[in-house]
């Protein structure tokens, strides 16, 4: 439900569909609320120009904020899958969280720092464009244009200031919450304890936003109050979702793939025809894919039903499996000593339903599916719950 619009530093930039709604909502609010109050006396077309420009600058500022996180992450060798702009701002989809407090602190602090720097820059331009407005001039077009530019600079400076300060609120998983965790971790050297404290504080702050939103609604400002409540819901949902995922990955990190994998493997050679594999493997075993191996079970690749069916029927007796398979270099292979959390992360990222497990010589030892991981996780959670009662 998003569209890629650009790629910066090899990072895909995507726009969520909700951004269309919030773009027009913000622009409409500015055109009929903020801009007429800040620069009275102009016509509605001018206010719309100011509002649309200000909204574009707002989203570009959010993009720069998220891009700064991503650039620092990449400097530490951490892969950034994408940056997504959506209704509540933006998020950098970073592959893994650094377990060193200095790295997490730098990655978290750079976003608010960029927003505050942008606020300062826009404030300087606002001050420069404010000087001629107070002077006497008979050029109405010049005064109108300068007034519009001045209003845009003021709004951009103010919004970046709010963006920078808001992201410093110590509510996990926002930047402030991550800064808090890194500081706690630097003191107590316990990553798990620091995470749980930061998440609890985030949940408490979300309730503060709920209460504040209700008070604002009762004071007569329904729209503003609802926005505050939505932000509180976003913070609480983000904190609880993060903690749930964190606990799952913590359980899975203690399970080795050698404990999960199925060793009764059906593999296929690379030199049989597509018709052969369709007739003697896919039609019989009803699987969506098969590992392709040499006679000693050294992995060569993986072949899917979809890739075989894509071959026209007249050619299926001449096209071989090796011509339609994904080669070993194109798929993710894990070692028997790797853990289940790593396997699940790869499955989610690569949109796979199974992982091939090999020894150090790429000899196929077993296969692990998402179902295997989920069942193992449920068993461990059930065991831990019973033990803790």
């Amino acid at each position: 439900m998003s569209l890629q619009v650009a790629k910066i530093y090899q990072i895909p930039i995507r726009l969520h569909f909700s951004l269309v709604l919030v773009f027009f909502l913000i622009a409409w609010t500015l055109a009929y609320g903020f801009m007429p109050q800040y620069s009275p006396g102009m016509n509605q077309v001018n206010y719309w120009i100011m509002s649309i420009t200000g909204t574009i600058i707002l989203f570009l500022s959010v993009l720069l904020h998220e891009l700064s996180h991503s650039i620092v992450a990449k400097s530490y060798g951490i892969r950034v899958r994408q940056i997504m702009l959506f209704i509540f701002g933006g998020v950098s989809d970073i592959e893994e969280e650094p377990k060193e407090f200095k790295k997490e602190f730098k990655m978290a602090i750079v976003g608010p720092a960029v927003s505050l720097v942008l606020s300062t820059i826009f404030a300087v331009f606002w001050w420069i464009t404010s000087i001629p407005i107070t002077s006497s001039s008979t050029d109405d077009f010049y005064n109108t244009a300068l007034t519009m530019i001045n209003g845009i600079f003021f709004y951009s400076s103010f919004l970046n200031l709010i963006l920078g300060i808001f992201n410093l609120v110590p509510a996990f998983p926002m930047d402030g919450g991550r800064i808090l965790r890194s500081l706690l971790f630097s003191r107590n050297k316990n990553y798990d304890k620091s995470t749980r404290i930061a998440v609890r504080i985030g949940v408490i702050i979300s309730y503060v936003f709920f209460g504040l939103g209700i008070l604002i609604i009762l004071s007569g400002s329904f729209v503003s109050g609802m926005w505050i409540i939505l932000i509180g819901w976003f913070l609480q949902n983000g904190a609880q979702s993060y903690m749930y995922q964190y606990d799952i990955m913590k359980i899975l990190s203690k399970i080795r793939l050698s404990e999960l994998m199925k060793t009764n493997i059906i593999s296929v050679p690379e030199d049989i025809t597509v018709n052969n594999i369709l007739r003697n493997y896919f039609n019989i075993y009803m699987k969506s894919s098969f590992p392709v191996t040499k006679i000693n079970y050294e992995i060569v690749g993986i072949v899917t039903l979809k890739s075989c069916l894509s071959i026209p029927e007249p050619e299926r007796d001449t096209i071989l499996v090796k011509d339609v398979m994904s080669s070993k270099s194109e798929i993710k292979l894990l070692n028997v000593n790797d853990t289940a959390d790593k396997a699940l992360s790869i499955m989610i990222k690569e949109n796979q339903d199974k992982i091939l497990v090999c020894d150090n010589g790429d000899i196929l030892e077993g296969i692990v599916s998402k179902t295997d991981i989920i069942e193992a996780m449920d068993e461990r959670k059930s065991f831990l719950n019973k033990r803790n009662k």
Side-chain angles (χ1 to χ4, degrees), residues 112-130:
V114 165
S115 296
L116 295 175
V117 168
L118 287 173
S119 176
T120 303
I121 292 171
F122 283 123
V124 170
F125 282 108
W126 167 76
W127 176 77
I128 292 171
T129 55
S130 295

Side-chain angles (χ1 to χ4, degrees), residues 11 32 51 66 91 94 97 109 130 151 183 193 195 233 271 301:
I11 303 169
Y32 289 97
S51 301
E66 295 301 330
V91 61
I94 296 172
E97 294 182 326
I109 197 70
S130 295
L183 295 175
K193 181 180 179 181
T195 299
W233 172 83
D271 55 357

Side-chain angles (χ1 to χ4, degrees), residues 240-257:
Q240 291 177 341
S241 296
Y242 178 88
M243 202 66 241
Y244 177 74
Q245 294 174 22
Y246 177 84
D247 284 335
I248 287 175
M249 290 303 185
K250 185 179 177 183
I251 292 172
L252 294 179
S253 67
K254 298 176 181 177
I255 304 175
R256 300 209 175 272
L257 296 184

Side-chain angles (χ1 to χ4, degrees), residues 11-293:
I11 303 169
I13 311 299
R14 304 187 68 89
L15 304 182
H16 194 264
F17 82 97
S18 62
L19 203 63
V20 177
L21 173 64
V22 77
F23 182 93
F24 286 105
L25 180 61
I26 293 173
W28 181 85
T29 304
L30 292 176
Y32 289 97
F34 179 82
M35 294 303 180
Q37 291 182 9
Y38 182 79
S39 306
M42 293 193 295
N43 63 51
Q44 200 59 48
V45 173
N46 291 336
Y47 291 139
W48 271 107
I49 293 172
M50 295 170 69
S51 301
I52 291 173
T53 305
T55 306
I56 291 172
I57 291 174
L58 168 62
F59 286 116
L60 288 176
S61 298
V62 172
L63 175 58
L64 289 174
H65 177 108
E66 295 301 330
L67 195 59
S68 66
H69 290 309
S70 300
I71 290 172
V72 173
K74 289 192 73 172
S75 72
Y76 289 130
I78 300 173
R79 182 188 167 206
V80 181
R81 289 188 288 270
Q82 64 181 6
I83 292 175
M84 177 78 75
L85 300 182
F86 68 116
I87 189 168
F88 288 111
V91 61
S92 298
D93 188 3
I94 296 172
E95 190 170 67
E96 61 180 300
E97 294 182 326
K99 296 299 190 291
E100 298 177 34
F101 71 89
K102 288 182 180 179
K103 289 183 179 180
E104 179 166 52
F105 179 83
K106 291 177 181 178
M107 283 174 58
I109 197 70
V110 69
V114 165
S115 296
L116 295 175
V117 168
L118 287 173
S119 176
T120 303
I121 292 171
F122 283 123
V124 170
F125 282 108
W126 167 76
W127 176 77
I128 292 171
T129 55
S130 295
I131 298 172
I133 293 175
T134 58
S135 65
S136 58
S137 175
T138 57
D139 191 335
D140 291 337
F141 177 81
Y142 170 80
N143 276 339
T144 299
L146 206 55
T147 300
M148 292 171 64
I149 293 170
N150 180 262
I152 293 168
F153 281 145
F154 178 83
Y155 171 77
S156 301
S157 176
F158 177 73
L159 257 294
N160 272 285
L161 178 64
I162 295 299
L163 183 64
I165 294 174
F166 177 71
N167 273 276
L168 287 173
V169 173
F172 210 86
M174 292 200 322
D175 298 337
R178 295 182 183 278
I179 292 169
L180 174 63
R181 178 171 67 177
S182 68
L183 295 175
L184 291 170
F185 186 33
S186 69
R187 291 176 62 88
N188 59 35
K189 309 302 180 186
N190 188 321
Y191 188 82
D192 183 71
K193 181 180 179 181
S194 301
T195 299
R196 294 183 186 282
I197 292 173
V199 168
R200 280 199 296 269
I201 291 174
V203 172
I204 292 170
I205 290 176
S206 73
Y207 284 117
V208 173
F209 274 90
F210 285 142
L212 183 61
I214 292 171
L215 289 176
I216 291 174
I217 289 174
L218 293 176
S219 69
S221 183
F222 179 80
V223 175
S224 297
M226 283 304 300
W227 270 109
I228 298 297
I229 290 174
L230 277 173
I231 291 171
W233 172 83
F234 171 73
L235 293 177
Q236 185 177 101
N237 184 66
Q240 291 177 341
S241 296
Y242 178 88
M243 202 66 241
Y244 177 74
Q245 294 174 22
Y246 177 84
D247 284 335
I248 287 175
M249 290 303 185
K250 185 179 177 183
I251 292 172
L252 294 179
S253 67
K254 298 176 181 177
I255 304 175
R256 300 209 175 272
L257 296 184
S258 57
E259 304 172 45
L260 293 178
M261 65 185 188
K262 288 182 170 61
T263 56
N264 185 20
I265 308 165
I266 302 170
S267 65
V268 299
E270 61 181 332
D271 55 357
I272 64 171
T273 65
V274 169
N275 235 346
N276 189 332
I277 192 175
L278 285 171
R279 184 173 57 251
N280 297 320
Y281 289 89
F282 284 114
N283 287 347
I284 293 175
Y285 298 106
M286 297 298 181
K287 293 182 179 294
S288 60
S289 64
F290 287 99
V292 183
T293 64

